[in-house]
Amino acid sequence: MQIGQFKLNNRLIAAPMAGISDKPFRQLCLENGAALAVSEMLSSNPDVWKTPKSKHRLIHDDCGIKSVQIAGSDPTEMALAARVNVDSGAEIIDINMGCPAKKVNKKLAGSALLQHPKLVESILTEVVNAVEVPVTLKIRTGWDKDNRNCLEIAKIAEACGIKALSIHGRTKACLFNGEAEYDSIRLVKESVSIPIIANGDIINPIKAKAVLDLTGADAIMIGRAAQGKPWIFQEIQHYLDTGELLPKKTLSEIRSFVLPHIEAIHSFYGEEKGYRIARKHVAWYLADYTPDDQFRRSFNALETASAQLEALEVFFENHY
């Protein structure tokens, strides 16, 4: 799998997820087998770049190849955002035309752009011409089931110099409901020469191999399935290499992921913001071990980093 001058060491990519794919999470995915971890979406609007949230998203000193996702609808602003991120260390610029969120779409960004192929072409052209690093694109299969145009957008992307295309196998209208349309991804793969990355419903190693086989994609992108399970990349790669499934992680093994991750979140964001962000990650990690939700409720009431770490230590000691 090649993106411009970058050769990935496998076919597994961690998806950009708003509010999740921060530096600590990306590093964890990379350490556990992802060849590339794309940063969470950054607005192209320069007015918001100085907010605390955007400042954290502009930190591009991770290990591995630094791929940064930008979103917006103005070609000039998007080109400027690309240059700013490259100046901050980005090595690949990814353009978001797949986000289905209302607050993004009402600004004609994300998947709303799929309704306007000419504007798509303008944005891609401006961004590709603005930077010397590879530019990639993420889309959905279309706006709704009556307006699937992923093939048209893919051909525009190829003509504009996009170096890889990720496709979530749903329309904007589908959100995350229903089953992913792998046949649409396969059609695009058979019709263009740029690398295609398949995304959607890839929840385990068996499904990962099936999607690669069904679509013929060059790589797959894992999003929600990595929440609370960043080792899924290791599991998938092992299965692709050997045809064997790795055993389920023990609680002792999960502890070795949770505590360093939560400490990294506290360190990255600072205590006041860090302990709030840590809550959702702990809920994902322990979802299978706290079915009555009692631990989650008590954990979410804690308001210091030290109290969170102490509660986690006690939890694991009591559940081995």
Side-chain angles (χ1 to χ4, degrees), residues 37-266:
V38 185
S39 79
E40 54 189 324
M41 185 171 62
L42 182 73
S43 170
S44 66
N45 181 0
D47 294 340
V48 305
W49 291 347
K50 293 183 179 180
T51 64
K53 180 184 291 186
S54 291
K55 284 181 178 178
H56 279 108
R57 294 183 180 184
L58 276 165
I59 298 173
H60 306 323
D61 58 350
D62 323 23
C63 54
I65 304 164
K66 303 166 188 68
S67 177
V68 179
Q69 188 177 82
I70 59 174
S73 58
D74 181 88
T76 302
E77 277 191 359
M78 290 286 278
L80 175 59
R83 287 194 295 270
V84 167
N85 277 282
V86 170
D87 290 343
S88 298
E91 296 173 308
I92 295 173
I93 295 294
D94 186 56
I95 298 175
N96 183 304
M97 294 187 185
C99 179
K102 286 183 180 179
K103 67 179 182 179
V104 174
N105 285 183
K106 72 180 182 181
K107 298 176 182 177
L108 199 61
S111 56
L113 286 164
L114 299 176
Q115 302 170 99
H116 306 282
K118 287 294 184 184
L119 180 54
V120 168
E121 183 177 12
S122 295
I123 291 170
L124 300 186
T125 300
E126 289 282 345
V127 174
V128 168
N129 290 338
V131 294
E132 295 185 358
V133 304
V135 179
T136 60
L137 174 64
K138 185 164 190 230
I139 65 172
R140 286 184 168 232
T141 57
W143 179 250
D144 57 33
K145 291 183 178 180
D146 295 323
N147 295 279
R148 289 191 180 96
N149 63 341
C150 53
L151 181 55
E152 178 188 10
I153 299 298
K155 290 182 176 180
I156 291 171
E158 183 177 38
C160 289
I162 292 298
K163 298 302 183 184
L165 176 65
S166 302
I167 307 174
H168 183 111
R170 289 183 173 86
T171 67
K172 182 274 174 189
C174 291
L175 299 177
F176 293 98
N177 302 315
E179 295 183 359
E181 308 159 23
Y182 301 124
D183 54 341
S184 296
I185 299 175
R186 182 176 186 85
L187 174 63
V188 172
K189 172 59 188 171
E190 292 172 344
S191 304
V192 298
S193 60
I194 58 176
I196 299 299
I197 303 160
N199 176 228
D201 294 350
I202 303 172
I203 58 174
N204 57 46
I206 295 173
K207 188 65 175 287
K209 185 177 186 308
V211 171
L212 284 168
D213 291 344
L214 282 166
T215 63
D218 300 275
I220 51 176
M221 181 172 278
I222 313 295
R224 290 173 293 163
Q227 295 173 1
K229 196 178 179 182
W231 55 85
I232 190 171
F233 300 98
Q234 183 187 66
E235 293 180 339
I236 291 173
Q237 191 59 49
H238 182 81
Y239 184 73
L240 294 177
D241 289 341
T242 69
E244 299 174 351
L245 294 171
L246 288 171
K248 184 178 179 180
K249 295 288 185 193
T250 65
L251 258 179
S252 176
E253 290 172 320
I254 292 173
R255 177 186 183 278
S256 69
F257 287 91
V258 176
L259 293 176
H261 187 188
I262 300 309
E263 287 177 341
I265 289 172
H266 293 157

